[in-house]
PDB file of all heavy atoms in Angstrom:
ATOM      1  N   LEU A  13      -4.706  30.519  -5.020  1.00 83.00           N
ATOM      2  CA  LEU A  13      -5.755  31.533  -5.077  1.00 83.00           C
ATOM      3  C   LEU A  13      -5.820  32.029  -6.559  1.00 83.00           C
ATOM      4  O   LEU A  13      -4.829  32.208  -7.171  1.00 83.00           O
ATOM      5  CB  LEU A  13      -5.502  32.592  -4.012  1.00 83.00           C
ATOM      6  CG  LEU A  13      -5.549  32.312  -2.609  1.00 83.00           C
ATOM      7  CD1 LEU A  13      -5.011  33.392  -1.751  1.00 83.00           C
ATOM      8  CD2 LEU A  13      -6.967  31.894  -2.183  1.00 83.00           C
ATOM      9  N   PRO A  14      -7.100  32.672  -6.812  1.00 86.00           N
ATOM     10  CA  PRO A  14      -7.218  33.264  -8.151  1.00 86.00           C
ATOM     11  C   PRO A  14      -6.244  34.487  -8.199  1.00 86.00           C
ATOM     12  O   PRO A  14      -6.007  35.151  -7.147  1.00 86.00           O
ATOM     13  CB  PRO A  14      -8.723  33.665  -8.214  1.00 86.00           C
ATOM     14  CG  PRO A  14      -9.354  32.762  -7.205  1.00 86.00           C
ATOM     15  CD  PRO A  14      -8.344  32.421  -6.231  1.00 86.00           C
ATOM     16  N   ARG A  15      -5.828  34.870  -9.383  1.00 82.00           N
ATOM     17  CA  ARG A  15      -4.903  35.943  -9.562  1.00 82.00           C
ATOM     18  C   ARG A  15      -5.415  37.318  -9.026  1.00 82.00           C
ATOM     19  O   ARG A  15      -4.647  38.027  -8.496  1.00 82.00           O
ATOM     20  CB  ARG A  15      -4.542  36.074 -11.106  1.00 82.00           C
ATOM     21  CG  ARG A  15      -3.460  37.098 -11.381  1.00 82.00           C
ATOM     22  CD  ARG A  15      -3.134  37.102 -12.847  1.00 82.00           C
ATOM     23  NE  ARG A  15      -1.867  37.381 -13.084  1.00 82.00           N
ATOM     24  CZ  ARG A  15      -0.757  36.623 -13.038  1.00 82.00           C
ATOM     25  NH1 ARG A  15      -0.874  35.387 -13.029  1.00 82.00           N
ATOM     26  NH2 ARG A  15       0.471  37.137 -13.230  1.00 82.00           N
ATOM     27  N   TYR A  16      -6.801  37.576  -9.197  1.00 81.00           N
ATOM     28  CA  TYR A  16      -7.296  38.861  -8.760  1.00 81.00           C
ATOM     29  C   TYR A  16      -7.290  39.017  -7.235  1.00 81.00           C
ATOM     30  O   TYR A  16      -7.337  40.092  -6.622  1.00 81.00           O
ATOM     31  CB  TYR A  16      -8.709  39.112  -9.259  1.00 81.00           C
ATOM     32  CG  TYR A  16      -9.733  38.167  -8.692  1.00 81.00           C
ATOM     33  CD1 TYR A  16     -10.472  38.435  -7.593  1.00 81.00           C
ATOM     34  CD2 TYR A  16     -10.149  36.882  -9.378  1.00 81.00           C
ATOM     35  CE1 TYR A  16     -11.489  37.645  -7.043  1.00 81.00           C
ATOM     36  CE2 TYR A  16     -10.984  36.075  -8.827  1.00 81.00           C
ATOM     37  CZ  TYR A  16     -11.699  36.432  -7.710  1.00 81.00           C
ATOM     38  OH  TYR A  16     -12.696  35.580  -7.116  1.00 81.00           O
ATOM     39  N   LEU A  17      -7.183  37.807  -6.452  1.00 83.00           N
ATOM     40  CA  LEU A  17      -7.174  37.868  -4.997  1.00 83.00           C
ATOM     41  C   LEU A  17      -5.745  38.073  -4.452  1.00 83.00           C
ATOM     42  O   LEU A  17      -5.554  38.535  -3.362  1.00 83.00           O
ATOM     43  CB  LEU A  17      -7.617  36.606  -4.339  1.00 83.00           C
ATOM     44  CG  LEU A  17      -9.125  36.519  -4.454  1.00 83.00           C
ATOM     45  CD1 LEU A  17      -9.531  35.100  -3.839  1.00 83.00           C
ATOM     46  CD2 LEU A  17      -9.907  37.647  -3.827  1.00 83.00           C
ATOM     47  N   VAL A  18      -4.613  37.827  -5.216  1.00 81.00           N
ATOM     48  CA  VAL A  18      -3.295  38.035  -4.827  1.00 81.00           C
ATOM     49  C   VAL A  18      -2.644  39.217  -5.500  1.00 81.00           C
ATOM     50  O   VAL A  18      -1.508  39.566  -5.221  1.00 81.00           O
ATOM     51  CB  VAL A  18      -2.508  36.754  -5.128  1.00 81.00           C
ATOM     52  CG1 VAL A  18      -3.035  35.578  -4.142  1.00 81.00           C
ATOM     53  CG2 VAL A  18      -2.493  36.440  -6.550  1.00 81.00           C
ATOM     54  N   ASP A  19      -3.329  39.896  -6.336  1.00 81.00           N
ATOM     55  CA  ASP A  19      -2.729  41.023  -6.937  1.00 81.00           C
ATOM     56  C   ASP A  19      -2.753  42.264  -6.093  1.00 81.00           C
ATOM     57  O   ASP A  19      -3.861  42.804  -5.716  1.00 81.00           O
ATOM     58  CB  ASP A  19      -3.513  41.453  -8.243  1.00 81.00           C
ATOM     59  CG  ASP A  19      -2.883  42.514  -9.141  1.00 81.00           C
ATOM     60  OD1 ASP A  19      -1.738  42.948  -8.778  1.00 81.00           O
ATOM     61  OD2 ASP A  19      -3.646  43.014 -10.073  1.00 81.00           O
ATOM     62  N   PRO A  20      -1.651  42.794  -5.595  1.00 81.00           N
ATOM     63  CA  PRO A  20      -1.680  43.909  -4.632  1.00 81.00           C
ATOM     64  C   PRO A  20      -1.909  45.345  -5.280  1.00 81.00           C
ATOM     65  O   PRO A  20      -2.119  46.193  -4.507  1.00 81.00           O
ATOM     66  CB  PRO A  20      -0.234  43.948  -4.145  1.00 81.00           C
ATOM     67  CG  PRO A  20       0.675  43.294  -5.202  1.00 81.00           C
ATOM     68  CD  PRO A  20      -0.328  42.369  -5.900  1.00 81.00           C
ATOM     69  N   ARG A  21      -1.853  45.393  -6.552  1.00 82.00           N
ATOM     70  CA  ARG A  21      -2.062  46.758  -7.107  1.00 82.00           C
ATOM     71  C   ARG A  21      -3.443  47.387  -6.815  1.00 82.00           C
ATOM     72  O   ARG A  21      -3.311  48.731  -6.462  1.00 82.00           O
ATOM     73  CB  ARG A  21      -1.913  46.580  -8.663  1.00 82.00           C
ATOM     74  CG  ARG A  21      -0.506  46.353  -9.122  1.00 82.00           C
ATOM     75  CD  ARG A  21      -0.431  46.128 -10.542  1.00 82.00           C
ATOM     76  NE  ARG A  21      -1.080  44.989 -11.055  1.00 82.00           N
ATOM     77  CZ  ARG A  21      -1.195  44.600 -12.205  1.00 82.00           C
ATOM     78  NH1 ARG A  21      -0.653  45.257 -13.260  1.00 82.00           N
ATOM     79  NH2 ARG A  21      -1.878  43.500 -12.548  1.00 82.00           N
ATOM     80  N   PRO A  22      -4.572  46.758  -6.804  1.00 86.00           N
ATOM     81  CA  PRO A  22      -5.754  47.501  -6.442  1.00 86.00           C
ATOM     82  C   PRO A  22      -5.689  47.976  -5.005  1.00 86.00           C
ATOM     83  O   PRO A  22      -6.163  49.136  -4.706  1.00 86.00           O
ATOM     84  CB  PRO A  22      -6.899  46.502  -6.635  1.00 86.00           C
ATOM     85  CG  PRO A  22      -6.380  45.441  -7.572  1.00 86.00           C
ATOM     86  CD  PRO A  22      -4.894  45.421  -7.331  1.00 86.00           C
ATOM     87  N   VAL A  23      -5.224  47.289  -4.018  1.00 86.00           N
ATOM     88  CA  VAL A  23      -5.055  47.724  -2.696  1.00 86.00           C
ATOM     89  C   VAL A  23      -4.262  48.876  -2.617  1.00 86.00           C
ATOM     90  O   VAL A  23      -4.488  49.867  -1.874  1.00 86.00           O
ATOM     91  CB  VAL A  23      -4.701  46.598  -1.798  1.00 86.00           C
ATOM     92  CG1 VAL A  23      -4.471  46.986  -0.348  1.00 86.00           C
ATOM     93  CG2 VAL A  23      -5.605  45.470  -1.988  1.00 86.00           C
ATOM     94  N   VAL A  24      -2.988  48.930  -3.234  1.00 83.00           N
ATOM     95  CA  VAL A  24      -2.101  49.947  -3.224  1.00 83.00           C
ATOM     96  C   VAL A  24      -2.680  51.267  -3.767  1.00 83.00           C
ATOM     97  O   VAL A  24      -2.566  52.261  -3.222  1.00 83.00           O
ATOM     98  CB  VAL A  24      -0.728  49.544  -3.952  1.00 83.00           C
ATOM     99  CG1 VAL A  24       0.125  50.743  -4.041  1.00 83.00           C
ATOM    100  CG2 VAL A  24      -0.105  48.435  -3.147  1.00 83.00           C
ATOM    101  N   LEU A  25      -3.258  51.179  -4.965  1.00 84.00           N
ATOM    102  CA  LEU A  25      -3.950  52.327  -5.536  1.00 84.00           C
ATOM    103  C   LEU A  25      -5.061  52.831  -4.771  1.00 84.00           C
ATOM    104  O   LEU A  25      -5.216  54.035  -4.692  1.00 84.00           O
ATOM    105  CB  LEU A  25      -4.420  51.889  -6.990  1.00 84.00           C
ATOM    106  CG  LEU A  25      -3.342  51.662  -7.945  1.00 84.00           C
ATOM    107  CD1 LEU A  25      -3.979  51.271  -9.325  1.00 84.00           C
ATOM    108  CD2 LEU A  25      -2.546  52.895  -8.217  1.00 84.00           C
ATOM    109  N   ALA A  26      -5.923  51.967  -4.224  1.00 90.00           N
ATOM    110  CA  ALA A  26      -7.023  52.394  -3.324  1.00 90.00           C
ATOM    111  C   ALA A  26      -6.527  53.117  -2.052  1.00 90.00           C
ATOM    112  O   ALA A  26      -6.992  54.150  -1.718  1.00 90.00           O
ATOM    113  CB  ALA A  26      -7.910  51.211  -2.965  1.00 90.00           C
TER     114      ALA A  26
END
Side-chain angles (χ1 to χ4, degrees):
L13 291 173
R15 187 175 207 95
Y16 68 90
L17 287 178
V18 295
D19 186 11
R21 290 178 294 180
V23 176
V24 171
L25 289 175

